[in-house]
Every structure is written in structure tokens, then in C-alpha cells.
Amino acid sequence: MNKIISLDEISGALVCEAGCILETLDNYVKEQNLIMPLDLGAKGSCHIGGNVSTNAGGLRLLRYGNLHGSLMGVEAVKADGTVVDCIRTLKKDNTGYHLKHLFIGSEGTLGIVTKVAVHCPVLPKAVTLGFFGVKDFDSVLKLYKSAKASLGEILSAFEMADNDSISSTVQNLKLPNPIADFPFYVLVETHGSDETHDAEKLSRFLEREMSSGLIIDGTVTSEPAKMQDTDKDVEGHVITWFTAAVDMDGNKQGHPCWDTIWNLRESIAGAGLLDGYVYKYDVSIPAARYYDLVPVLRQRMAGKAVKVYGYGHVGDGNIHINVTVPEYSKEATDMLEPFIFEEVSKLKGSISAEHGVGFRKPHFIHYSKDEGAISLMRELKQLMDPNGILNPYKVLPDP
Amino acid sequence: MNKIISLDEISGALVCEAGCILETLDNYVKEQNLIMPLDLGAKGSCHIGGNVSTNAGGLRLLRYGNLHGSLMGVEAVKADGTVVDCIRTLKKDNTGYHLKHLFIGSEGTLGIVTKVAVHCPVLPKAVTLGFFGVKDFDSVLKLYKSAKASLGEILSAFEMADNDSISSTVQNLKLPNPIADFPFYVLVETHGSDETHDAEKLSRFLEREMSSGLIIDGTVTSEPAKMQDTDKDVEGHVITWFTAAVDMDGNKQGHPCWDTIWNLRESIAGAGLLDGYVYKYDVSIPAARYYDLVPVLRQRMAGKAVKVYGYGHVGDGNIHINVTVPEYSKEATDMLEPFIFEEVSKLKGSISAEHGVGFRKPHFIHYSKDEGAISLMRELKQLMDPNGILNPYKVLPDP
């Protein structure tokens, strides 16, 4: 089940079996100057079939879109053993129902994905990274709007972390913070086809937003031997330009600054564990209300929680909210759940942005799906797996 | 049914009723520096609900992806009157089955779309256009691969037309051809956020591929007051740079050159009507075999057809094949159908790339869908519309 079947180097269509490891595929398509349209922390071990079944999003979603957009075809086996062959390597195919989407994100409960056809975009020739300090969450949002306008087509990540997220990580893991202490941090990454153009766009964005006051301080890193100066902006703030970070194969490496920034961002999830027990929530909330829940939870958990912090993919509306308590207690759990899901529901958000429903959240699903939708889900499950043999107890709540 | 409900200017999420006209929406979101992710010739009259129900692709698909990727949510009414409310303005939502995709492209046979939530990308600040002559189809494919690598994230259209397509249009409609007579023509359009960078990328691409010999001659047009020179490339070919074409609102207008090029491309479909009766096929074929069917059909229809020609969206694998005969005859029809569908099927293509199945193609659907898929389609139809009251006689073949 881990065979690569074909790669069309012109269209970028990759066909492979479901058991292929994401990183193996990424390395394979890189030889043809392509990349996989998704990237996850778990890429060294996760299977592409699992990525499809769980509708994995990951780090490149802002730039390359979701799997519903990039999956060209699927082969799946239904509960009765029927093979549904929707493997096609076409971008446009309007011949009947678009069945492949039934298998994307249904967590293996409607059929087992056995083969996939994925559209691989062109490998970016240049990757640049900026890390900025800002004064409040409103500035984060304004900066996102400005980044979309200035960086447009090359914007590949727009991440934010509040002060508690970064300071816990710096303290607990002894990681360096490349800039000073700020209420909020923003990480901006670009993927583009021209190093000079991309660096120009990013530095113009940085200069303009330092002048406007949205960015208080920041650092930008790019590819080797570029931008090694130290400049001052109009208000006399020091802008440090670092070197390098991406080798000839597009791998991040070499210079510590790049790693400093991404490491800091990617270590937040784990760093909290040193403070006690961590309740982790992975929710989506419409942009304007993205950070609303953090102060609400801080107030609710005052005296109970060590820390409440929020960080995540602003560009995707996806925020991770971590609540650290000295140790697990039923009392803390009851204060958090279903309260947090009720609040997300009021904000028209999703109680599970990326991580799915699994067996722990079926009884919370009504916070994100209305009665009509849940009943259609039940009907589909009954139709495609009448004996309930595919991933039982998952996704659907008890009737 | 034509109310715009909300627009989130930060995330770009637009929510509206199904009866809104695509062009009205495009004008509305433009005020916030956004565009609709799809564009069609029929945009002045088509409804967004119909776009969703037919999975409309159109001219911007290469750049902004398909509706499965850009639709954030749908509200639909099932045959039994139940409302399924999947309106969300989130990019990531993994709470249960991704039901909205059942209503995309099922041509109203599984439910009636009543509201949609669509992600609108940022309005491009710069649009550039190139029109090139090349010597054979192999060069078209090589040029596409090269354009993907050079223009990457700004490439918004890569179209081709063979000599018969263009010469019929030039002759029948008395339209000017901005370059000389060539075996194949390629139209390249870019949408980007920086005029100077984009023009630089496109002209570098043009220069390189004129040197390599892939492009024999070409013309590039951009925004007002830019690039008004006439240059010569390394081999002494004249490169003419035209002015203007996009006004402050991003509308194509003013200078005739832009219109000359797009008009020529967009008039191909209608021009053939002056030669007699036109059989039109809208198929998808994997890149490497994209043009294969045209010479096959020329041979088969020799002496019967006035012309057989191919043109279309290379970037989407979507080719339009037109066969012009002096007048309609059953003999010609029988020579073409199902022959052409059989050939498309052998090439693992789609017999209907964009235009859907409707009531004319249900009995041909097996050329693009296998038995397992057709039977799952029937089961879904039976589940969601047991009395067959939604768009009867469409999409599904008789049992």
C-alpha cells in the first residue's frame, strides 16, 4: 500500500497508494520541482490516506488551499467491499456527483481510502520569514489585512502567538526569543518564485507597518547571502536582517535564526506541559472574534489555571487555546467543557478546526452542526455502512 | 433570494443568497479589494447558486482553484423540505462529514442551494497578458511547464489555440491577429500584487523562451503608461510592448490590444457557426495527451468535416474540440458519438470538463465513472430524493 504509481511532471498530478508517508511523497515530487500541497509536523510518519480521511490542513493551507481543492481523485473501499474508483488526474471533471469528497474528512467511517491522486504545486524558489512584535490583537488583525494586500499571492503563513504563549516557551524550554517582549507576536512566511521580488515585498511591508506603528519591532530572514545589513526604520528602531535558511533543495537549515523563529512557534504546544496538565482546544473562529475566548477563559479560570493562552493560524481562522492547570481535575474539566464549545458555537466557530471528531467529541458535535446536518450524516452512514463496521464509535453521536 | 448577507473584509468570507448574480457579487467585493474566486463569460446573468450546483470552473481556476476549495459553506433544502444549514465562514472545520460538497456539481438533483459562503481572494493590483506563437503542441506543453516555474504564483491563465481555431476566427469575424500566422498560439495571463515584479517576470519568461526557441514571436500588454517600447530579443525578433488595458477598478478596458487578444480567444467558440453546424465537445484530458484527439478526429472526419480544431485551458487540462460540418447530419453525429467519448475514456479523461451532464449526457456517463461510482450515485439520489422530484431526468442514467 505504499507504492507511488505515477507523477505527471507537467500538470503536477501525483497518484499513489494510501500507505505512502507524506514526507516520502514530498521528497519524491521535489525532484520534479513540485511540493505536496500540505505539510504537517507529523509528515515523517503520517500516511497520505490518513491525511485525506482526516482532511489534514497543516502549515501550507493559507497558500495552497485545502484537500477538497487539491485532491484530484480517490479510490475507496466501501463497507460492503465495493471499490469506488474515482482516481482521475484532472482538474475539471463535471460528470456526476463529486463522490471523492465523501471520503475527505469522514475519518474512515464511510469507506477506506486506498489510493489518491493529488495536485502538487510548484516548489517555491524563495522562502522568506518575518517575526514581529505588536501591541494588541487588533493590530494583529490589521496587519493580516495589510499582509494579504501587500504579499498577496506569496503569503504562505500568517501565525500569531500571545505573550503567554511565547514567554512560557522561552522560559520552560530555554529557547531564545529573537526580538524583545511584546503583547503579541506575528510570524509571516512567504513562498514565491523570485527571491529578490519576495524579499522586496516583505521588507516593504515591514517598513510600511513599522512606520504606521502596527509593527513595533521585527526581524526578517531569507536565503543565503542576502540582506545581511542592519537598518534603522523611520523611528530609529533597529531592523536586523539575517542570512540564510533554505538550502538548494528547499530544506530549512543552516542559519540559526530561521530555526529560532519556527522552533519557537512550533514548541508552544509542548512547552506548557512543564507547567502542569494542559487542556488543549483546536477551534476555528471568524476573524473579527478570533481572540475573544482567551480573555473570557482567563476570567473564568482565574485562580484555577496557571495560564490561559492562545496562538495559531490567523490566516485560517484557526486558534489553539491552551489552559494549563497544576494537575488534572474533574472540577477544571467541568468548568471548561462544554462551556468552551458553547462559546465557540455562539461565535459561529468550529469546535474542531483540524483534529476531527474521533471518539472523544461525537457528543459535542451539535455545537458545530445543526440538526439537519447531523441527520443527513446519520443517513449517509446508514447508507454506506449499514452494519457500522467502519471505525465504529467515531464521529457520529449516539442516537 | 438575491440578498448579500455579510462580507468579512479581513478573512474575505462572503455570505449571500443563491439568487445573487455573479457580477453583482464581484462588483460588491471589489469595494473591499477582493474578487470572486470564479469568473465566467456568463457572469452578468448567472446566479451564484447555479455556479455552485454546476461546479462552475471558468477563467480563474488555474489561479484561484475550484469551488470545492473556495466554498466555505452552503445552505440547501433537501427533497423532503429539510433545511441543511452548513453556512460557516471558516477555512478549517473538521466536525463530521463535509456535506456541502454533495451540493457542489450535483446539478440540483440532491438538494436546492439557497445560501452560500464563499472565500474571496485579494483583488490583484496588476494584470499582464502575453500572446505567443509556437511551432507545435509539444512546445505548448514545454512552455506551460516553464510558465509554471517562472510565473509560479501569479500565473492566472494558460490557454492555447491551434491554427484553425485562430484563423477561422480571424477570417469569419474579421478580427485582427496581433501576431503572425503560427501552428499554435498560447495566451498567458498573470494576476499579481506588484506591477513591476509581474511585468519583470513575464518579460523575463518571454525573453528566455524566445531564446530557447519555444516562442517564435509574441506580444505582452500590461497596465497604462508602462512598457511602451519596441525591443528586439537576442535573435533580432521584434517584441512589441503595448500599453494599458486595466483601469483603476481592475476592469479590462481602453486600449485595443488587450481586447484584441482576449476577444480573439473568447470569440473562437462562436466563430465556427459561420462555417456550418458545429459539434462542440468540452473534455478534460491529462496534460501529455491533451491534443491527441484533434488529429485523430481530423483523420476520421476527413472529407466530412469543414474543420476540426482544438483550443482551451491547458492549465486545467480542459480542451474544447469543435468539429464543423456543412450541415447537421445523423451520419456525422454517429461518426463522432460515442467514438469521441470512447477515446476520452481510453485517455482517462472526462467527457464533460465544465458543462456537466444535464439531460443530454446521462447515457454517456459510464465513459467517465466506473460501475462502483455510478451505483453510489444512484444510492445517494435514492437517499436524498426518493421520489425523484429534484431536476428529474438529469445526471443519472436510466437503470
Side-chain angles (χ1 to χ4, degrees):
Chain A
M1 289 292 283
N2 62 357
K3 222 174 87 184
I4 293 172
I5 297 163
S6 65
L7 176 62
D8 181 332
E9 52 174 292
I10 297 167
S11 69
L14 170 77
V15 182
C16 67
E17 291 179 343
C20 290
I21 303 279
L22 179 58
E23 192 168 42
T24 310
L25 297 174
D26 208 32
N27 290 334
Y28 182 81
V29 303
K30 218 171 252 172
E31 286 171 30
Q32 296 296 337
N33 266 315
L34 302 167
I35 49 163
M36 293 298 286
L38 75 164
D39 187 17
L40 309 179
K43 71 176 168 187
S45 58
C46 64
H47 296 151
I48 189 72
N51 297 151
V52 169
S53 302
T54 56
N55 187 31
L59 304 169
R60 292 175 183 163
L61 193 131
L62 182 63
R63 172 69 199 278
Y64 302 108
N66 61 45
L67 277 171
H68 285 286
S70 51
L71 206 76
M72 300 173 118
V74 148
E75 180 194 82
V77 182
K78 279 169 57 193
D80 64 4
T82 317
V83 175
V84 181
D85 177 4
C86 297
I87 287 289
R88 283 287 185 279
T89 56
L90 309 167
K91 283 195 185 169
K92 288 183 178 174
D93 179 12
N94 277 345
T95 50
Y97 304 162
H98 294 231
L99 301 171
K100 66 186 175 203
H101 302 279
L102 284 170
F103 305 104
I104 303 177
S106 51
E107 302 181 34
T109 62
L110 297 181
I112 296 168
V113 172
T114 46
K115 274 184 206 158
V116 302
V118 190
H119 176 253
C120 299
V122 172
L123 183 70
K125 292 198 192 97
V127 182
T128 58
L129 185 64
F131 190 63
F132 312 127
V134 305
K135 70 173 191 296
D136 51 25
F137 182 70
D138 191 47
S139 303
V140 174
L141 280 188
K142 284 181 179 149
L143 212 53
Y144 175 51
K145 200 180 166 193
S146 158
K148 277 176 68 178
S150 310
L151 303 170
E153 61 278 3
I154 59 170
L155 184 62
S156 59
F158 190 100
E159 307 271 314
M160 80 100 203
D162 61 15
N163 185 284
D164 275 353
S165 301
I166 297 294
S167 60
S168 305
T169 310
V170 166
Q171 284 156 26
N172 291 356
L173 303 181
K174 312 286 177 235
L175 291 178
N177 177 355
I179 59 176
D181 204 45
F182 292 104
F184 286 86
Y185 298 89
V186 165
L187 180 157
V188 173
E189 193 193 59
T190 69
H191 275 195
S193 63
D194 186 299
E195 194 180 317
T196 315
H197 291 170
D198 297 357
E200 215 174 293
K201 286 187 178 97
L202 188 58
S203 52
R204 200 165 50 197
F205 164 74
L206 173 59
E207 278 159 32
R208 194 180 53 239
E209 298 310 352
M210 286 189 85
S211 305
S212 76
L214 281 182
I215 294 177
I216 309 174
D217 200 2
T219 171
V220 170
T221 106
S222 182
E223 277 146 309
K226 300 282 159 194
M227 302 190 303
Q228 306 192 41
D229 312 318
T230 299
D231 292 333
K232 288 197 180 189
D233 78 333
V234 286
E235 287 174 60
H237 300 286
V238 172
I239 312 175
T240 316
W241 302 99
F242 291 82
T243 58
V246 179
D247 70 8
M248 300 291 287
D249 300 324
N251 298 314
K252 294 173 196 165
Q253 65 159 33
H255 195 282
C257 181
W258 184 286
D259 293 339
T260 305
I261 297 171
W262 266 118
N263 258 350
L264 198 56
R265 165 63 187 83
E266 289 179 349
S267 302
I268 300 171
L273 296 170
L274 295 171
D275 289 326
Y277 182 85
V278 188
Y279 290 90
K280 294 181 178 180
Y281 300 98
D282 167 55
V283 300
S284 279
I285 297 173
R289 315 293 300 273
Y290 181 87
Y291 194 70
D292 280 17
L293 262 179
V294 178
V296 167
L297 285 171
R298 277 189 185 139
Q299 198 171 5
R300 184 174 175 88
M301 301 302 287
K304 300 274 188 297
V306 182
K307 265 171 203 153
V308 177
Y309 50 94
Y311 65 98
H313 322 284
V314 178
D316 306 328
N318 179 195
I319 183 167
H320 302 292
I321 299 177
N322 286 8
V323 180
T324 314
V325 290
E327 58 190 9
Y328 173 83
S329 74
K330 191 167 178 314
E331 191 201 348
T333 309
D334 290 346
M335 283 187 77
L336 287 166
E337 299 172 17
F339 175 78
I340 189 165
F341 302 124
E342 285 165 4
E343 294 297 307
V344 169
S345 184
K346 282 184 211 159
L347 297 169
K348 290 266 179 194
S350 164
I351 62 158
S352 186
E354 291 204 306
H355 298 171
V357 177
F359 64 91
R360 291 188 53 195
K361 285 196 187 142
H363 57 296
F364 293 130
I365 202 173
H366 61 281
Y367 290 113
S368 279
K369 284 264 185 295
D370 83 335
E371 207 29 71
I374 294 173
S375 113
L376 180 52
M377 281 177 57
R378 282 193 211 285
E379 289 167 14
L380 287 169
K381 175 70 175 175
Q382 177 62 28
L383 173 73
M384 295 179 66
D385 179 22
N387 300 318
I389 61 170
L390 295 173
N391 236 357
Y393 318 115
K394 301 269 174 70
V395 185
L396 283 158
D398 293 330
Chain B
M1 288 293 282
N2 62 356
K3 222 176 86 185
I4 294 173
I5 297 164
S6 64
L7 175 62
D8 182 331
E9 52 175 292
I10 297 166
S11 70
L14 170 77
V15 182
C16 67
E17 291 178 343
C20 291
I21 303 278
L22 179 59
E23 192 168 40
T24 310
L25 296 174
D26 208 32
N27 290 335
Y28 182 81
V29 303
K30 219 173 251 172
E31 286 171 30
Q32 296 295 337
N33 266 315
L34 301 167
I35 49 163
M36 294 297 287
L38 74 164
D39 187 18
L40 308 178
K43 70 176 168 186
S45 58
C46 64
H47 296 151
I48 189 73
N51 297 151
V52 169
S53 301
T54 56
N55 188 31
L59 304 169
R60 293 174 181 162
L61 193 131
L62 183 62
R63 171 70 199 278
Y64 302 108
N66 61 45
L67 277 171
H68 286 286
S70 53
L71 205 76
M72 298 172 120
V74 148
E75 180 194 82
V77 181
K78 279 168 59 191
D80 64 5
T82 316
V83 175
V84 182
D85 176 4
C86 296
I87 288 287
R88 283 287 186 279
T89 56
L90 309 167
K91 283 196 185 168
K92 288 183 177 173
D93 179 13
N94 276 344
T95 50
Y97 304 163
H98 294 232
L99 302 170
K100 65 187 177 204
H101 302 278
L102 284 169
F103 305 104
I104 304 177
S106 51
E107 303 181 34
T109 62
L110 296 181
I112 297 169
V113 173
T114 47
K115 273 183 207 158
V116 302
V118 189
H119 176 252
C120 300
V122 172
L123 183 72
K125 291 196 193 100
V127 182
T128 59
L129 186 64
F131 190 64
F132 312 126
V134 305
K135 70 174 192 294
D136 52 24
F137 182 70
D138 191 47
S139 302
V140 174
L141 279 188
K142 284 182 180 148
L143 212 52
Y144 175 51
K145 201 182 165 192
S146 158
K148 277 176 68 178
S150 309
L151 304 170
E153 60 279 2
I154 59 170
L155 184 62
S156 59
F158 190 100
E159 308 271 312
M160 80 99 203
D162 60 16
N163 185 284
D164 276 351
S165 301
I166 297 295
S167 60
S168 306
T169 311
V170 166
Q171 284 157 24
N172 291 356
L173 304 180
K174 313 285 177 234
L175 291 178
N177 177 355
I179 59 175
D181 204 46
F182 292 103
F184 286 86
Y185 298 89
V186 165
L187 181 157
V188 173
E189 193 193 57
T190 69
H191 275 195
S193 62
D194 186 299
E195 194 179 316
T196 315
H197 291 170
D198 296 357
E200 215 175 293
K201 285 188 179 95
L202 188 57
S203 52
R204 199 165 49 196
F205 165 74
L206 173 59
E207 279 159 32
R208 195 180 52 238
E209 298 309 352
M210 286 189 87
S211 306
S212 76
L214 280 183
I215 295 176
I216 307 174
D217 201 2
T219 171
V220 169
T221 106
S222 183
E223 276 147 310
K226 301 283 160 193
M227 304 190 302
Q228 306 192 40
D229 313 316
T230 298
D231 292 334
K232 289 198 178 187
D233 78 334
V234 286
E235 286 174 59
H237 300 285
V238 171
I239 311 175
T240 316
W241 303 98
F242 291 81
T243 58
V246 178
D247 69 7
M248 300 292 286
D249 300 325
N251 298 316
K252 294 172 197 166
Q253 66 160 34
H255 194 283
C257 181
W258 183 286
D259 293 340
T260 305
I261 297 172
W262 266 119
N263 260 350
L264 197 57
R265 165 64 186 85
E266 288 178 350
S267 303
I268 300 172
L273 295 170
L274 297 172
D275 289 326
Y277 182 87
V278 188
Y279 291 90
K280 294 181 178 181
Y281 301 97
D282 167 55
V283 300
S284 280
I285 297 173
R289 314 293 299 273
Y290 181 88
Y291 194 71
D292 280 17
L293 262 178
V294 178
V296 167
L297 285 170
R298 275 187 186 140
Q299 197 171 5
R300 184 174 175 89
M301 301 302 287
K304 301 274 188 297
V306 183
K307 265 171 201 152
V308 177
Y309 50 93
Y311 64 99
H313 323 283
V314 179
D316 307 328
N318 179 194
I319 183 167
H320 302 292
I321 300 177
N322 285 9
V323 179
T324 315
V325 289
E327 57 189 8
Y328 173 83
S329 75
K330 191 168 178 311
E331 190 200 349
T333 310
D334 290 345
M335 282 187 77
L336 287 166
E337 300 171 17
F339 175 78
I340 189 165
F341 302 125
E342 285 165 4
E343 294 297 306
V344 169
S345 184
K346 281 184 211 157
L347 296 170
K348 290 266 180 194
S350 164
I351 61 158
S352 185
E354 291 203 304
H355 298 172
V357 177
F359 64 89
R360 292 187 54 193
K361 285 197 186 142
H363 58 295
F364 293 130
I365 202 174
H366 61 280
Y367 290 113
S368 279
K369 283 265 186 295
D370 83 335
E371 207 29 70
I374 294 173
S375 111
L376 180 52
M377 281 176 57
R378 282 193 210 285
E379 289 167 12
L380 287 168
K381 176 70 176 173
Q382 176 62 27
L383 173 73
M384 295 179 66
D385 179 22
N387 300 318
I389 60 171
L390 295 173
N391 236 358
Y393 318 116
K394 303 269 175 70
V395 184
L396 283 158
D398 293 331

